[in-house]
Amino acid sequence: MSLALQQQALLARLFEPRGGLPCLPEMSPLASNNVADFGLFDSGFASNHRGFLAYQANGLELAHRTLAGTYPVMQQLIGDESFAALAAALWQAHPPVRGDLAHWGGELAEFVRHSEQLADEPYLPDLARAEWVLQQFKTAPDETPDLASLQQLISGDPSVINLCVTHTAQGLDSPWPLASLWLVHQPAAYDASLENKPGFEQVGVQIRQRVAQTALMWRDGHRPRLREALPGEVTFIAALQQGQSLDQALRDTPLDFSAWLPLAAQSGLLLGAVALSV
């Protein structure tokens, strides 16, 4: 048996559901009428099986730790035991395809959306989407702020000035209080600028009333950030990212620019200003 087939047979065993030995036909396309053809199943079958179970257990523990690092709020919401079961189910339904497990787990939002067991928590898929975006920020390219360039706003013409916002900035619309739900599970010192950080009771009321929110996400240095977007903010940021002038980006948007500017500059959302070529 070739090494490649042996490796495929091993992977098939490692990611099969636990709780019993499958018959070989279930391992298609590797199934064989001759057990010895696999090289993995010989006279030491029982010993090999114990080894596979150990590998499976280690894999599921690794899946649990990896997913918990990516989806910490999700873990807090459903509890560690349920989260471990969720990680195991995702591991078997969507096994990793890359050696770096930091890239594994992106299917969780859709997986949860179709889960009957979690149907009573309909905000979880959007929360998973947000946490996956924040995970991707960890490997985003670094950006260098130039806040001194904002001096151009004092006497410059807004029709020929573009504000540089971080390329990571993006919004996520949700019919649920997504930003509040995420923020209430962060440490008290997460962001000193959030003077009105919601409490658990307030978030519970928002969930019962189905308060819709747009979460704004970006990376501040090496730190993922999330807060509720200001009215018109996501549209404004998208216009700036497309290279529009400040004057153009502010047209037909309800954004309170005077309130947005210091908030954006202090949180790494705004990086600087550049003059556009006329």
Side-chain angles (χ1 to χ4, degrees):
M1 181 183 182
S2 71
L3 176 61
L5 287 177
Q6 288 181 348
Q7 292 172 335
Q8 291 177 43
L10 175 60
L11 290 174
R13 290 299 304 273
L14 293 181
F15 289 106
E16 70 190 14
R18 300 184 67 185
L21 293 174
C23 60
L24 290 178
E26 294 179 1
M27 299 178 61
S28 177
L30 302 177
S32 168
N33 292 325
N34 186 349
V35 173
D37 287 347
F38 282 87
L40 297 169
F41 312 110
D42 51 23
S43 57
F45 183 85
S47 176
N48 283 339
H49 179 56
R50 286 193 295 271
F52 285 127
L53 290 181
Y55 272 114
Q56 279 188 324
N58 290 337
L60 294 179
E61 176 60 28
L62 181 60
H64 183 193
R65 292 199 308 268
T66 299
L67 216 64
T70 302
Y71 299 96
V73 176
M74 176 83 76
Q75 182 186 34
Q76 292 179 57
L77 282 170
I78 69 175
D80 190 62
E81 184 176 349
S82 295
F83 190 82
L86 178 62
L90 186 71
W91 181 260
Q92 291 163 355
H94 299 282
V97 295
R98 300 174 64 174
D100 185 355
L101 288 184
H103 299 283
W104 174 72
E107 300 88 356
L108 185 65
E110 284 303 306
F111 191 75
V112 169
R113 190 181 305 278
H114 293 94
S115 170
E116 294 182 1
Q117 294 92 329
L118 297 175
D120 292 337
E121 313 293 340
Y123 46 80
L124 289 180
D126 284 351
L127 176 63
R129 290 172 61 195
E131 292 207 274
W132 180 251
V133 170
L134 297 177
Q135 167 73 6
Q136 304 316 296
F137 288 167
K138 296 179 181 179
T139 55
D142 293 335
E143 297 176 295
T144 303
D146 180 16
L147 297 183
S149 63
L150 295 177
Q151 293 291 329
Q152 298 179 61
L153 296 175
I154 298 176
S155 57
D157 181 354
S159 66
V160 293
I161 292 176
N162 172 259
L163 295 184
C164 303
V165 295
T166 171
H167 74 277
T168 60
Q170 56 187 287
L172 176 58
D173 294 327
S174 174
W176 301 97
L178 176 58
S180 296
L181 189 61
W182 189 85
L183 286 168
V184 77
H185 288 90
Q186 302 310 306
Y190 168 72
D191 191 340
S193 67
L194 297 173
E195 299 177 358
N196 300 314
K197 180 180 175 180
F200 285 100
E201 184 176 349
Q202 178 185 351
V203 175
V205 172
Q206 291 177 334
I207 290 175
R208 290 191 294 273
Q209 296 179 348
R210 294 197 62 154
V211 175
Q213 290 183 346
T214 296
L216 180 67
M217 299 168 286
W218 73 101
R219 195 179 85 170
D220 176 10
H222 294 286
R223 181 184 182 188
R225 295 263 200 165
L226 184 152
R227 63 168 170 78
E228 184 178 4
L230 301 176
E233 185 176 14
V234 172
T235 301
F236 173 68
I237 289 175
L240 293 175
Q241 290 173 327
Q242 293 167 7
Q244 292 186 20
S245 69
L246 175 59
D247 186 49
Q248 289 175 311
L250 282 173
R251 290 176 187 169
D252 302 320
T253 178
L255 180 69
D256 182 345
F257 182 71
S258 61
W260 178 84
L261 184 60
L263 178 63
Q266 294 166 12
S267 63
L269 180 60
L270 177 61
L271 302 177
V274 295
L276 299 173
S277 56
V278 181

